[in-house]
Amino acid sequence: MKRFIFGYLLLMISLPVLSQVDSVKVVALFSNKAMLELNGKNIIINKGQEIQGLTLLSANGRGAVIRFKDGTEKKLNVNQSIQQGYKKPDNNKLTVYSNRHGMFQLAGKINGRTTRFLLDTGATFIAISSNEADKLRLSYRSARKGVVQTASELVPVWHIKLDNVKVGDISVSNVDAVVLKGESPAPILLGMSFLKHLKLQRNGAAMLIEQKF
């Protein structure tokens, strides 16, 4: 009995004391366990274990599924993180109106820097000209190269990952994008690598954009 109590106390001492969890990041993945960074402190949590309202439901090389205090479940890969206590976000909405050409343009941010977008459901990725990428200080020249099909030709591109893309209060992290050499496209094409996280509903000249959760 004494040995059991001692072991329990040792376990409690080894866990970080967190009055409130404000951020979680997956540092490493193992079979049925994961190393998480909670409020800047690294801990190892086993499948089924609960720490400060967070429960690890599963973990393997493909990701960790975590259930938060409010019942929300989220799959995170290595180096992915969630901020602000894992509260399920409000159902963010945004209404955009078409211009005289019938196109939907809107202001937004990439990695915290302001830019403009053209909503394009026909684009697989967010598409950025190299001129605009330089203005946004995006690192792309050493990225993986490929080609994409435009309306008229195959164009060489760099494949990159954007840390964050935001329009209004709608924010998505780790978004795939391509950079095309030159001045086109202008503005940036807001393609399906971002739009797949949204619900789009058109009503005449208005487009209602709503974030999925």
Side-chain angles (χ1 to χ4, degrees):
M1 184 65 178
K2 290 181 179 179
R3 181 177 300 175
F4 173 78
I5 293 174
F6 176 77
Y8 177 77
L9 290 174
L10 183 62
L11 175 62
M12 293 298 292
I13 292 171
S14 67
L15 294 177
V17 178
L18 302 171
S19 58
Q20 179 180 345
V21 177
D22 296 316
S23 66
V24 60
K25 178 180 180 180
V26 175
V27 178
L29 292 168
F30 311 96
S31 177
N32 295 322
K33 66 176 63 176
M35 179 180 287
L36 305 180
E37 181 183 294
L38 303 182
N39 293 353
K41 297 180 179 179
N42 289 348
I43 67 162
I44 291 180
I45 180 172
N46 296 310
K47 178 181 177 181
Q49 186 178 359
E50 179 181 345
I51 297 177
Q52 295 295 333
L54 306 179
T55 304
L56 182 65
L57 300 181
S58 66
N60 53 45
R62 295 186 297 274
V65 179
I66 301 170
R67 182 168 60 213
F68 304 114
K69 195 171 184 178
D70 65 355
T72 302
E73 296 180 7
K74 178 72 175 178
K75 181 178 180 180
L76 298 176
N77 297 319
V78 173
N79 291 326
Q80 279 191 304
S81 61
I82 293 181
Q83 306 293 323
Q84 300 178 352
Y86 324 111
K87 294 180 180 178
K88 187 175 181 179
D90 295 331
N91 216 11
N92 296 325
K93 297 180 181 180
L94 176 68
T95 300
V96 183
Y97 296 91
S98 61
N99 59 22
R100 60 191 179 91
H101 301 294
M103 298 181 177
F104 294 90
Q105 295 191 22
L106 63 164
K109 293 183 177 182
I110 290 179
N111 298 352
R113 298 184 183 277
T114 302
T115 188
R116 289 198 62 80
F117 297 106
L118 172 65
L119 194 153
D120 188 352
T121 57
T124 303
F125 306 105
I126 290 179
I128 310 169
S129 71
S130 60
N131 285 17
E132 187 66 17
D134 290 336
K135 293 177 184 177
L136 294 171
R137 300 181 186 178
L138 301 178
S139 177
Y140 64 91
R141 297 188 186 279
S142 61
R144 177 173 62 89
K145 293 183 179 180
V147 293
V148 295
Q149 177 70 59
T150 66
S152 59
E153 60 181 342
L154 287 171
V155 177
V157 299
W158 292 272
H159 288 268
I160 63 173
K161 185 84 72 173
L162 303 174
D163 293 337
N164 182 265
V165 178
K166 186 174 183 180
V167 291
D169 291 327
I170 297 172
S171 179
V172 179
S173 300
N174 299 312
V175 184
D176 289 316
V178 292
V179 176
L180 292 73
K181 186 175 182 179
E183 299 179 352
S184 297
I188 293 171
L189 301 184
L190 194 61
M192 291 306 298
S193 57
F194 179 83
L195 298 177
K196 68 181 180 182
H197 300 284
L198 313 178
K199 298 176 185 176
L200 303 178
Q201 183 178 348
R202 184 166 184 174
N203 184 12
M207 179 75 77
L208 176 62
I209 302 173
E210 182 178 353
Q211 190 164 11
K212 298 177 185 177
F213 297 107

